[in-house]
Amino acid sequence: MTQPVRYDRQGAIGIVTIDSPPVNALSQAVRQGVIDCVGQGYADPAVTALVIVGAGRTFIAGADITEFIKGGMADPDLNDVNALIENGPKPVIAALHGTALGGGLEVALSCHYRVAVPKAQVGLPEVKLGILPGGGGTQRLSRLVGAKTAIEMITTGTFLPAAKALALGIIDHVGEGADPLSVALDFATRLPAGPHTRTRDREEKLAADRGTDVFDTARAALAKSARGQFAPQRCVDAVEAAFTLPFDEGLKRERELFTECMAHDQAKALIHVFFAERAVTKIPDLPADVTPRKLEQVAVLGSGTMGGGIAMCFANAGIPVRLLDLDRAALDRGIAVIAKNYAGTVAKGRLSQADMDKRLSLIQPTTDYADLADADLIVEAVFEDMDVKAKVFRRLDEVAKPGAILASNTSTLDLDAIAANTSRPADVIGMHFFSPANVMKLLEVVRGRHTAPDVIATAMGVGRKIGKVSVLVGNCDGFVGNRMVQYYATEAQRLVIEGASVEQVDKAALEFGLAMGPFAMGDLAGLDVMGFIRARRVAAGLIYGTPLSDRIDPSRKGQKNGRGWYRYEPGSRTPLPDPEITAVVDAYRAERGITPREIGNEEIARRLIYTLVNEGARILDEGMAMRSGDIDIVYIYGYGFPAWRGGPMKFAELSGLDKVLADISRYHADAVAAGDADGAYWEPAPLLKRLVAEGRNSFG
Ligand code: 3HC
Ligand code: NAI
């Protein structure tokens, strides 16, 4: 195996190159290699200065996160690497390109100078993993930029472009071109005579912020913006230590806080999410040599709520899209909504008028199927009605060119049945966007029985191209996300029937960290739509909601007409408690002879989340999701589940699968004892029972 770090020399400059693909992460071997090679440079009498540079696409992108999972970092410690660099006898220049992140930036901050190519980015994104910089980043960055900027960077994990980092004083020079080594070698010829200031000795910014209220202000702001999260507050504590303690003491304090974060469940959850997000792109049964199909022209059918948003996704990515609807009037309405959405973004200053015009010009409205003949991908988003979809797919089969991918955005219909209307089921796939399609990051890619591997690869790639997180799922009712949410929404109603209020249930969900409570979510989706789904499912002997929802006045459609589980003031999306709903609930309980009981918020949250876990386990068992992490990603990107809880499946593992199973079994027994068939989904999932019986605490 080649060495991950090598030393060589150009003239009087010693060059330490980190070559550990893909991102030069600071594994144990890299840390040791840097120590060895820097030592070699110090010992080399012909060398007056050293450059540390990354091979390949980037400087060091941080600590090796895989080591965290394996149980921590073996010696040498990153702080020892950094101390060797900072306290050495010769100046060291960090030559940055790609992304100098986390431990990577910490190495750079320990160097005496930092130079970069214009496209380089720097950041301390540890907080996104539920931890904080543990290699001196909080102490050294604070000395370069002061408390406010350090807190901002460290608590948000934002990446800064080289120019911004230069302006802030994080780096010293931005050179031309793409080769960081040339920039550094050029810089080295102009190196000041010295002494070369160590970052640890920079005092001026410390004095300015010492004793101010900047830390308390940050803590108060984070209590709201990062509610429930552990690491962000510890980040502030660590930065504050730079202002209150001598450097070495500050380093020690930083390490204590780092260790505390690392031991916390939130770090385990967020590190899981980091890898799960990357794992979703991997499809084990796709042949390695599968080549995605060409994608130059797209068409979308139906210019309604979803079709319009989907067309925007493609136009935003610079891909021309034909938008077809039944008639001119429907199309005009659809285009007007799209234009209004873009205009809103322009008004907020997030899009230029020229870009809006360009995007709109990429969307070509039509009512003529013949115009779809050149499309490489056609996404259908017409009414959710099998007869309508069948007709549309038969027509598409006639007009689409050979090799075109025919995708459906159906949320509840059987994809194989849709595909059966064509002579080419291998070209048919589901692309299930979430509303609003141009905003929500999740794309469920639904694989049908006959879907070809290259069609799957293309759809997953398309998702990436238009900025979505794509998760491949199987063809079952509701796919992954909606299949799980139906029991979650039902349980919310059962909790109200038992004694909680609509507002309390939503509050408990918010306290847990969800972006929105189940009733507010129902109002957003539309109670009329949910009513249709309930009718269909109940007729098929399936569960969806409870009879309580049948008592709600059917004119209450949710946010769209300002009346749902809540009431809304005109133009406002703020849910307000409605006495009319309370009266319906009271009457329903009285009629059923139910004496309401006090239910704690913790029990409410647990019951809501465990419905997801139990159904998720079934989905996994049936192979409708490839990995439990895929289900977590669906929930985080599609349903506002807090990433710091890891997603529902990881949350269950962190809670202990045996405990989760015990609770689920109890809820099931309660439902059976009460004769409540609406709670039948509490029947423990066979996978959960198997895992617990085998003494395992992981979905694998
Ligand atoms: N450790 C281990 N593996 C890493 C890694 C890291 N720090 N960063 C990326 N990888 C792996 C990914 O898992 C992926 O592996 P795969 O190909 O097997 O799936 C591969 O590198 C490529 O990563 P991406 O697919 O994410 O590539 P991109 O080009 O899209 O993004 C990146 C590159 C911006 C560097 C992004 O990977 C990233 O943000 N990485 C994490 C950076 C980070 O969080 N650094 C801080 C680590 S914690 C730390 O440093 C603690 C210290 O303070 C002590
Ligand atoms: P919508 O009613 O807003 O829009 C449907 C559009 O299709 C209308 O403009 C209609 O004129 C057009 N249309 C109907 N028949 C057509 C035909 N034969 N040819 C061409 N156009 C035709 O409906 P919405 O909400 O956009 O839903 C569309 C699809 O997306 C459905 O399958 C739905 O289940 C799915 N979906 C909806 C989500 C939502 O939140 N609304 C979320 C995810 C998927």
Side-chain angles (χ1 to χ4, degrees), residues 270-285:
L270 285 163
I271 290 170
H272 159 78
V273 172
F274 176 84
F275 287 113
E277 201 174 326
R278 282 152 183 85
V280 286
T281 58
K282 300 182 175 90
I283 304 160
D285 66 333

Side-chain angles (χ1 to χ4, degrees), residues 118-389:
K119 282 203 170 142
Q121 291 182 292
V122 303
L124 291 172
E126 284 87 344
V127 71
K128 294 182 184 164
L129 300 171
I131 55 175
L132 52 84
T138 60
Q139 307 304 295
R140 292 192 180 88
L141 185 69
S142 301
R143 285 169 162 77
L144 293 183
V145 300
K148 192 159 179 286
T149 306
I151 289 172
E152 209 168 282
M153 277 182 72
I154 294 169
T155 57
T156 61
T158 323
F159 298 180
L160 299 182
K164 184 88 201 280
L166 178 69
L168 286 170
I170 300 169
I171 55 183
D172 304 292
H173 171 67
V174 178
E176 292 294 311
D179 177 20
L181 184 59
S182 331
V183 172
L185 289 174
D186 176 57
F187 184 81
T189 61
R190 291 177 279 113
L191 212 54
H196 305 283
T197 314
R198 302 183 303 176
T199 308
R200 58 176 286 156
D201 297 328
R202 300 273 296 266
E203 281 287 325
E204 62 279 11
K205 298 273 179 177
L206 297 186
D209 287 327
R210 208 169 263 139
T212 65
D213 63 1
V214 58
F215 306 103
D216 287 340
T217 306
R219 285 191 186 97
L222 285 166
K224 289 198 187 116
S225 66
R227 187 171 44 89
Q229 295 182 50
F230 187 74
Q233 296 284 356
R234 306 299 162 309
C235 291
V236 179
D237 294 349
V239 170
E240 188 172 29
F243 295 80
T244 54
L245 298 172
F247 181 79
D248 290 321
E249 295 298 310
L251 269 191
K252 263 194 219 145
R253 180 75 188 122
E254 177 195 82
R255 182 52 66 93
E256 280 166 15
L257 291 162
F258 172 83
T259 308
E260 247 181 71
C261 287
M262 194 59 101
H264 201 281
D265 273 356
Q266 292 186 10
K268 297 186 183 87
L270 285 163
I271 290 170
H272 159 78
V273 172
F274 176 84
F275 287 113
E277 201 174 326
R278 282 152 183 85
V280 286
T281 58
K282 300 182 175 90
I283 304 160
D285 66 333
L286 276 199
D289 58 352
V290 67
T291 315
R293 296 185 187 177
K294 160 172 94 76
L295 189 103
E296 285 165 8
Q297 176 71 50
V298 171
V300 174
L301 267 94
S303 61
T305 310
M306 294 306 287
I310 295 168
M312 289 173 77
C313 292
F314 289 106
N316 294 349
I319 301 169
V321 46
R322 298 191 204 288
L323 183 60
L324 182 143
D325 211 305
L326 287 170
D327 52 39
R328 213 60 237 180
L331 266 182
D332 288 346
R333 270 197 308 276
I335 293 287
V337 171
I338 293 174
K340 190 170 156 235
N341 280 337
Y342 277 136
T345 317
V346 171
K348 285 183 201 134
R350 288 197 268 122
L351 184 74
S352 71
Q353 184 63 45
D355 280 338
M356 163 170 165
D357 296 345
K358 201 159 120 207
R359 289 177 192 194
L360 270 179
S361 73
L362 284 171
I363 302 176
Q364 303 136 356
T366 180
T367 53
D368 187 354
Y369 271 81
D371 286 339
L372 311 187
D374 63 349
D376 302 304
L377 165 70
I378 303 174
V379 185
E380 166 278 312
V382 305
F383 298 141
E384 185 76 344
D385 179 307
M386 192 47 118
D387 292 341
V388 177
K389 303 241 192 229

Side-chain angles (χ1 to χ4, degrees), residues 39 68 82 143 435 453 463 491 554-555 601 621 624:
F68 297 165
N82 293 340
R143 285 169 162 77
S435 183
E491 190 64 10
S555 75
N601 286 5
D621 219 10
M624 293 297 162

